[in-house]
Amino acid sequence: PRLGSFLPFSTKGSIDGKGVIYGGPASDAPALTADDVAGKLVVLGVPVTSTGRPNIQTINRQALQTYLSAAGVAITALEMLPPGWADFMMQSRTVMSGGDTPEGTLGLFVSRDVAEQLIGAPLADAAVGAMGTTIEGTVTFVEEPARYPARNVVGIVRGSDPELRNEYVAIGSHNDHVGTSGTPVDHDSLWAFLNVVRPMGAESPNRQATTEEATRIQAIIDSLRAIRPARVDSIFNGADDDGSGSIAMLEIAEAFATSATKPRRSIIFVWHTGEEVGLYGAGWFTENPTVPRENIVAQLNLDMVGRGKASDIENGGLNYIQLIGSRRLSTELGDLVEEVNVRDGFNFEFDYQYDADGHPQNYYCRSDHYMYARYGIPIVFFSTGSHQDYHQLTDEAQYIDYEKLEKVSEFVYALALTIADLDHRVVVDKPIPDPNAPCRQ
């Protein structure tokens, strides 16, 4: 993702004539105050894990709030970005028609060499608070018409209650993915590499295989070559991200549409576009809703709900599912999720670890549901988790767990029906965020 959405900074702004100051490692608590960095470009060192391995996921996102008084923040992590991320950030950005890219504290990824030129010393020797050179530069954009239009797809199953049918339970997923690769690669070779070196796909650090890992990779490739020839591919199909959520919604919509008894409230289905480039479709829909926004009582988001086997994620299996945000705005909504799970015999084992405040993956802010939550609409984000094929050419239908996908779909149907048939709106009893402020998990 763009630095401006991945971290609390803008992708548009000026650092012209600003002094440079070194702020230490981006993984640490800030050693400088807002006054120290005001109006300057802050250079932050390479984040590292406890083993000393560079890792962009260790960036202390909450601590970076301290630097919002700066003119810009440069994080020395350019070499660590997965190739897909680096390529993506070099491409043109998509902005919805009539929108604008906010200005503010400019966020940059820079290489170690550039960081050391800015500081005027090796990062290993730089003292926190040391002043470097003066920088000149402004980041702006040239607007061009989009070559390929993208659209949200919206459908409604009308409720049966004459009064409550004007309220809506929203169910959403996203219908876009990340396009094509610049260079075709052999599917099986990539799959073997990811299996050994990057078990969480794009969420895993991008690195070279060790000698021992290379041997294991070759053994997997040899076993696959024994049953089929090489398969060259260049298309990111996105079967799980988010073909799984899109297909689940079709099944849920069909179940509601063909049911002899309709729920009391209406069900609105929104297949959002532009999720991968910044939640644009969900943002557009919530700012220009086709039904009164205040009448949407809850939103259920399905994003990557077709995997989650033990081979995909630790403790995975048929009953494994991740829940995020279910109690962030409404205690009652979170309780209903648990109630339906027991009442209807689904017996899911909910994994709430990724819902923790300040979690480094920041999932609460990274999918379409947040565009609803920012307006005080209670949400539940369903996911079966990341896996080796996340944002990779290998995210294909052959790896989907269809039994799991069916079970998740049936559960979301049962939950939506329960919410739609309540004699009251789901109670919002938690603070509502500023809809225009950056999201912080």
Side-chain angles (χ1 to χ4, degrees), residues 32-43:
L32 301 176
T33 68
D35 289 340
D36 292 333
V37 302
K40 302 181 179 70
L41 175 67
V42 183
V43 174

Side-chain angles (χ1 to χ4, degrees), residues 96 272 278-288 368 371 374-375:
M96 301 304 290
H272 304 100
L279 315 183
Y280 285 124
W284 179 263
F285 180 81
T286 54
E287 291 164 7
N288 305 272
D368 294 319
M371 293 293 102
R374 65 186 175 137
Y375 286 109

Side-chain angles (χ1 to χ4, degrees), residues 158-276:
R158 296 292 178 185
S160 60
D161 188 293
E163 295 183 6
L164 295 181
R165 70 191 314 235
N166 292 319
E167 294 182 350
Y168 302 84
V169 178
I171 302 177
S173 63
H174 68 89
N175 58 28
D176 65 311
H177 196 46
V178 295
T180 60
S181 66
T183 304
V185 300
D186 170 50
H187 176 103
D188 291 333
S189 296
L190 176 59
W191 189 93
F193 174 81
L194 295 169
N195 183 265
V196 175
V197 178
R198 304 186 70 187
M200 291 293 102
E203 296 284 10
S204 296
N206 189 28
R207 59 180 179 82
Q208 297 295 319
T210 66
T211 301
E212 187 273 334
E213 288 171 336
T215 301
R216 289 165 53 198
I217 292 169
Q218 190 58 54
I220 295 173
I221 295 173
D222 291 343
S223 67
L224 294 173
R225 286 289 178 272
I227 59 176
R228 60 177 176 243
R231 299 182 295 158
V232 176
D233 193 7
S234 62
I235 300 173
F236 288 89
N237 291 299
D240 190 32
D241 183 19
D242 187 25
S244 61
S246 297
I247 293 301
M249 280 182 59
L250 285 174
E251 294 296 317
I252 296 167
E254 182 180 33
F256 274 115
T258 58
S259 174
T261 303
K262 296 295 186 285
R264 298 177 69 188
R265 289 177 177 82
S266 297
I267 311 294
I268 183 168
F269 299 87
V270 187
W271 288 264
H272 304 100
T273 189
E275 190 268 355
E276 299 289 3

Side-chain angles (χ1 to χ4, degrees), residues 23-76:
S27 51
D28 293 352
L32 301 176
T33 68
D35 289 340
D36 292 333
V37 302
K40 302 181 179 70
L41 175 67
V42 183
V43 174
L44 298 176
V46 180
V48 295
T49 64
S50 58
T51 62
R53 184 183 300 278
N55 186 354
I56 194 173
Q57 299 300 340
T58 63
I59 291 175
N60 190 333
R61 291 176 173 82
Q62 289 187 318
L64 293 177
Q65 296 287 334
T66 301
Y67 302 126
L68 292 177
S69 61
V73 173
I75 297 178
T76 312

Side-chain angles (χ1 to χ4, degrees), residues 301-305 320-324 381-386:
N301 182 31
L302 297 96
D303 192 348
M304 298 177 62
V305 290
Y320 175 86
I321 192 168
Q322 297 172 9
L323 291 187
I324 297 172
F381 176 27
F382 298 90
S383 178
T384 53
S386 288

